[in-house]
Amino acid sequence: GGRVVVSDEMNEAATNSDVDQAGEDAVAVALAEIEAARAEMPEDVDGAVARVLAQVDVLIDEGEPGEAFDALIEAGEWQGGSGNPTAALETFARARDLAIDGGAPQPVAHALDRMAACHWELGQLARTEHLLREALAIREAGSDGPALARARYRLGWRIAVDCSSTSRFDEALNLLGRARDGAEEHGLTLMVAECDEKASWVLGARGDVA
């Protein structure tokens, strides 16, 4: 029997295949661990969050920033829902930074919105408004109509609870009106109703009761 000579190219291809397979296995394990944490979350939020966050670096290292972003957003929602807006803010900020690094503006806007919600819970309303304005600017540059309507509604709602001047009355009504138009265009009937409700707050505060 003759000796089989394996070329350098074949050796390199085999090595790369092993590396790719190892990466795929690591991602599969990380995603399975996250799925297990979802089942655990109702009983042990802190434990579930810790399990998810432990897998984020694996997903990033293996070239799955989208999966990592989704995991961070989900973990942040759990933290916020359990009454820990400070921890949620840190998690959402990490998601924002990951989206910025990946050049993904629409996920950045989503993370900014969630950060704004945390600042709202912490009573930091000026910071809330600043982040919502950042998120809206990103949405206005995109093509997602429902997301843009939502961003306008969110900022309009924020201004509606603090209409301290005529210009803020006008801005709140403008945002809510445009959000309503967008929601109606895309069949988002609940958002249409929410925009009407918040607009009624502004009109009432302005003295336009009728």
Side-chain angles (χ1 to χ4, degrees), residues 14 22 24-25 55 74 77 100 135 157-158 161 167 169 195-196 207:
E24 291 174 6
D25 291 345
Q55 303 307 317
E74 187 166 18
E77 297 289 4
I100 289 173
W157 182 9
R158 161 67 192 99
V161 301
S167 63
F169 279 124
C195 290
D196 284 342

Side-chain angles (χ1 to χ4, degrees), residues 12 17 20 29 48 55 64 71 75 113 115 142 152 166 170 185:
E12 183 178 354
S17 176
D20 290 344
V29 169
Q55 303 307 317
E64 295 290 344
D113 177 90
M115 291 170 65
R152 286 172 172 158
T166 300
D170 292 343
E185 178 184 350

Side-chain angles (χ1 to χ4, degrees), residues 82-129:
S82 66
N84 194 345
T86 301
L89 179 58
E90 293 177 359
T91 302
F92 290 138
R94 188 177 176 193
R96 175 205 56 193
D97 293 345
L98 179 61
I100 289 173
D101 290 344
Q106 299 308 310
V108 171
H110 182 59
L112 288 171
D113 177 90
R114 305 322 301 142
M115 291 170 65
C118 294
H119 283 290
W120 176 279
E121 292 296 327
L122 293 168
Q124 299 162 353
L125 302 190
R127 185 61 180 159
T128 298
E129 184 171 330

Side-chain angles (χ1 to χ4, degrees), residues 45 48-50 52-53 56 69-81 87-88 91-92:
V45 173
V49 168
V52 169
L53 295 181
V56 168
F69 177 86
D70 291 343
L72 286 168
I73 292 294
E74 187 166 18
E77 297 289 4
W78 293 349
Q79 290 169 317
T91 302
F92 290 138

Side-chain angles (χ1 to χ4, degrees), residues 55-67:
Q55 303 307 317
V56 168
D57 287 334
V58 174
L59 294 172
I60 294 172
D61 290 345
E62 297 301 334
E64 295 290 344
E67 296 283 5

Side-chain angles (χ1 to χ4, degrees), residues 3-5 7 14 51 58 69 87 102 120-121 138 175 196 208:
R3 183 168 60 88
V4 176
V5 178
S7 70
R51 290 175 66 179
V58 174
F69 177 86
W120 176 279
E121 292 296 327
I138 293 171
L175 284 165
D196 284 342
D208 190 355

